[in-house]
């Protein structure tokens, strides 16, 4: 039990909010720099569109994709006669999403190992 807690704290290097803050700050700084250095508004607009696309792709890779994988894993999981069939997914984001995935995996494992008192009435 202590091993899991220690492993989780080692892996959680940076939270989602810190990652978003870094990405947003870089986006804002590059946008400001492009507006200051480029004399043409059209060039600045093109740089803004490109930076916006990179910002969107970064967010999708960091947050949206792991959450979609976790959601599909939960949707595909179901109770069976042998217990609870959980479709595990590998998420290695080193943030809260990975902790959430570990919690779902532990809950499914606990469901399979608890005594089901429904049959003993």
């Amino acid at each position: 039990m202590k091993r899991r807690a220690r492993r989780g704290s080692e892996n959680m290097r940076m939270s989602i909010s810190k990652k978003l803050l870094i990405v947003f700050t870089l986006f804002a700084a590059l946008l400001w720099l492009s507006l200051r250095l480029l004399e043409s508004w059209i060039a600045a607009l093109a740089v803004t569109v490109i930076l916006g696309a990179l910002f969107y792709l970064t967010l999708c890779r960091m947050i949206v994709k792991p959450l979609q994988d976790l959601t599909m894993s939960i949707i595909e999981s179901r109770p069976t006669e042998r217990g609870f069939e959980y479709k595990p997914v590998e998420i290695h984001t080193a943030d809260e999403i990975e902790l959430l995935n570990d919690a779902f995996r532990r809950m499914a494992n606990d469901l399979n190992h608890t005594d089901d008192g429904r049959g003993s009435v």
Side-chain angles (χ1 to χ4, degrees), residues 78-86 108 111-112:
R78 62 184 159 53
T80 62
E81 292 89 25
R82 297 183 319 258
F84 190 77
E85 182 182 326
Y86 178 67
L111 280 173
N112 287 330

Side-chain angles (χ1 to χ4, degrees), residues 92-112:
H92 302 289
T93 58
D95 57 20
E96 293 91 347
I97 298 173
E98 185 174 347
L99 291 176
L100 184 63
N101 183 42
D102 290 342
F104 278 116
R105 185 176 289 132
R106 281 192 310 267
M107 284 190 298
N109 191 28
D110 289 346
L111 280 173
N112 287 330

Side-chain angles (χ1 to χ4, degrees), residues 26-41:
L26 287 174
F27 175 71
L30 290 172
L31 179 61
W32 178 82
L33 188 63
S34 70
L35 289 172
R36 296 289 287 169
L37 295 178
L38 299 173
E39 294 179 13
S40 169
W41 282 96

Side-chain angles (χ1 to χ4, degrees), residues 56-66 93:
Y56 172 77
L57 292 173
T58 302
L59 282 179
C60 283
R61 186 180 53 90
M62 281 186 346
I63 298 171
V64 176
K65 178 74 169 97
T93 58

